[in-house]
Amino acid sequence: MALLKIKFTQQRRVHLAQGLWLLSWMAVMWGGVIFCLGVYLKTELLRRAEVMDNTEIHVVPNILMMVGLASIGTNWVASRVCQDSLDPTRFPRWKVPLLAWFAVATVLCCLLIAVVALSYALQGSLEESLKVGLRNGIRFYKDTDVPGRCFQKETIDRLQMEFRCCGNNNFKDWFEVQWVSNRYLDFTSKDVKDRIRSNVDNRYLLDGVPFSCCNPTSPRPCLRYHLTDNNAHFNYDYQSEELNLYSRGCRQALTDYYMELMNSTGPGVLSVILIQLSVLLSLRYLQTAVETAMVLEDPEGDSEGYLLEKGVKETIEDLKINALTMLKFGQVDPNAAEGSSEVADAEKDEKDAPPSPAS
């Protein structure tokens, strides 16, 4: 028994084809939007690649771009099917391609749902990637004359100013690394010697931060050095005073930025899913309604459209049988192969045998 059967008149089939044609082109446009969102997100991720430890999060924009392009192609095909559905002589050529179309459209819907799930599931991976990447970026901040790291200082400075952040977790991260290159240190200075000798790694550590950590909205001139020394500045208390530095760490700032970007794609992706499902179901009804009318040899008469020719269980069983049949067809029977080789050997022996003498 057919599932969700609907009766269609000729006029109703025409209206369905016209409405589906408009819906298909709407899906084409939304596919372009999804592709552009994927490109934008990919570009933003690549811009910060130097402060990311891995590229796992790139799977989200990659799927968006792939699904966007595939959605444009599949829905363009759907619009062509709608045009040919009104011509009984042209529609039969779509019978086999539509099977592949339904499979591709179903996969697209599943991938779009996966994108929404991955946007939330990969938040932990994004944070860990930024944590390691920013830690390395801060550690290599001073290496302006090392090949491969010479732009790290500029990258970190621009990042902190653009996102109004400081350090990995906060500004204290700068206290734990030497961020001033040795080429700019006066090793004859007693202060420099004392600071280098004060730690086992012989690093020049400061209770200070780079200029890019300064908050320009602070009414007080920026205090960058001796931040933990209350006597170094007038009317200053390190423990209680709100410093004129950015208080938020860059890891949190970047995580919030990228999660906001991915979350903003959610409504668009959900809209595409609904439109794609509408195209999928409507095209199935149009296909079965037109094919039923052609079977009845009355293209202008009434016909019935349905989603599944049989029930759900029966359809699943048929799919299993068809899949097993295809697998058996693709396998080679060893007995048959052995028999054919024996026959071939026998024929070869007969050809090679000397001719019998004439009596």
Side-chain angles (χ1 to χ4, degrees):
M1 182 178 179
L3 181 66
L4 298 178
K5 188 186 300 183
I6 299 177
K7 190 172 183 178
F8 288 89
T9 62
Q10 169 66 5
Q11 185 179 9
R12 196 172 183 182
R13 287 198 299 270
V14 171
H15 289 164
L16 177 60
Q18 292 173 341
L20 182 55
W21 184 85
L22 291 174
L23 194 62
S24 299
W25 279 107
M26 185 184 299
V28 168
M29 290 187 291
W30 271 107
V33 171
I34 290 297
F35 175 77
C36 293
L37 286 175
V39 171
Y40 179 71
L41 181 56
K42 181 78 171 181
T43 303
E44 288 298 302
L45 288 171
L46 290 175
R47 285 182 61 195
R48 318 293 175 199
E50 293 182 357
V51 294
M52 290 187 180
D53 183 55
N54 59 63
T55 58
E56 291 181 4
I57 195 64
H58 287 246
V59 68
V60 174
N62 290 343
I63 294 178
L64 283 175
M65 290 187 291
M66 180 182 66
V67 170
L69 290 177
S71 179
I72 293 173
T74 54
N75 289 290
W76 177 80
V77 171
S79 68
R80 293 295 303 274
V81 174
C82 294
Q83 293 175 335
D84 291 349
S85 66
L86 304 179
D87 188 347
T89 61
R90 299 172 63 183
F91 186 76
R93 65 177 180 174
W94 292 103
K95 185 173 183 178
V96 175
L98 277 177
L99 297 176
W101 187 94
F102 285 119
V104 172
T106 303
V107 171
L108 287 181
C109 292
C110 295
L111 287 175
L112 287 170
I113 295 173
V115 166
V116 177
L118 286 172
S119 297
Y120 295 96
L122 291 177
Q123 180 175 356
S125 175
L126 174 63
E127 289 185 1
E128 185 62 25
S129 175
L130 288 170
K131 177 181 178 180
V132 177
L134 284 168
R135 184 175 61 202
N136 292 333
I138 292 173
R139 186 157 58 94
F140 300 141
Y141 180 88
K142 69 180 187 304
D143 298 338
T144 53
D145 53 352
V146 177
R149 301 176 186 172
C150 53
F151 294 105
Q152 199 70 52
K153 177 182 180 298
E154 180 182 358
T155 299
I156 295 296
D157 283 334
R158 289 185 180 276
L159 177 69
Q160 292 188 144
M161 290 187 291
E162 180 179 353
F163 287 91
R164 305 174 69 84
C165 59
C166 184
N168 194 339
N169 298 307
N170 52 56
F171 68 91
K172 294 180 182 179
D173 294 325
W174 290 103
F175 298 176
E176 302 172 1
V177 297
Q178 177 181 338
W179 53 272
V180 178
S181 175
N182 288 338
R183 65 187 298 185
Y184 302 115
L185 294 177
D186 181 8
F187 286 95
T188 62
S189 170
K190 183 177 181 300
D191 179 64
V192 172
K193 291 179 181 180
D194 291 342
R195 286 186 178 276
I196 293 177
R197 292 170 183 169
S198 63
N199 64 87
V200 294
D201 296 328
N202 293 324
R203 294 178 299 169
Y204 182 72
L205 302 183
L206 292 170
D207 54 345
V209 296
F211 77 96
S212 53
C213 282
C214 293
N215 185 354
T217 62
S218 173
R220 182 169 187 164
C222 186
L223 302 178
R224 296 174 48 208
Y225 299 105
H226 308 291
L227 295 176
T228 59
D229 186 1
N230 291 332
N231 298 321
H233 310 286
F234 176 74
N235 193 22
Y236 175 78
D237 185 356
Y238 168 68
Q239 297 295 336
S240 62
E241 184 171 344
E242 182 178 355
L243 301 179
N244 52 3
L245 307 174
Y246 295 127
S247 58
R248 186 171 61 160
C250 291
R251 175 163 59 94
Q252 187 61 47
L254 283 172
T255 300
D256 292 344
Y257 174 71
Y258 284 122
M259 290 307 300
E260 183 179 355
L261 271 183
M262 288 189 285
N263 293 339
S264 65
T265 64
V269 172
L270 292 176
S271 300
V272 173
I273 293 174
L274 293 176
I275 294 174
Q276 192 67 55
L277 285 175
S278 301
V279 173
L280 181 65
L281 298 178
S282 300
L283 187 56
R284 177 58 178 168
Y285 273 118
L286 180 63
Q287 177 201 16
T288 53
V290 174
E291 288 180 351
T292 303
M294 294 175 66
V295 169
L296 297 174
E297 297 182 354
D298 186 10
E300 297 183 358
D302 295 349
S303 62
E304 291 182 341
Y306 50 83
L307 293 181
L308 298 176
E309 188 175 0
K310 301 177 182 179
V312 177
K313 292 183 178 180
E314 292 83 355
T315 302
I316 294 175
E317 291 296 327
D318 288 345
L319 290 174
K320 288 182 179 179
I321 293 173
N322 292 335
L324 291 174
T325 303
M326 293 178 65
L327 289 174
K328 289 180 180 179
F329 180 77
Q331 292 177 349
V332 178
D333 189 355
N335 296 326
E338 183 179 353
S340 61
S341 63
E342 290 178 356
V343 172
D345 292 340
E347 291 178 353
K348 183 178 181 182
D349 292 341
E350 291 178 0
K351 291 180 180 179
D352 295 341
S356 59
S359 58

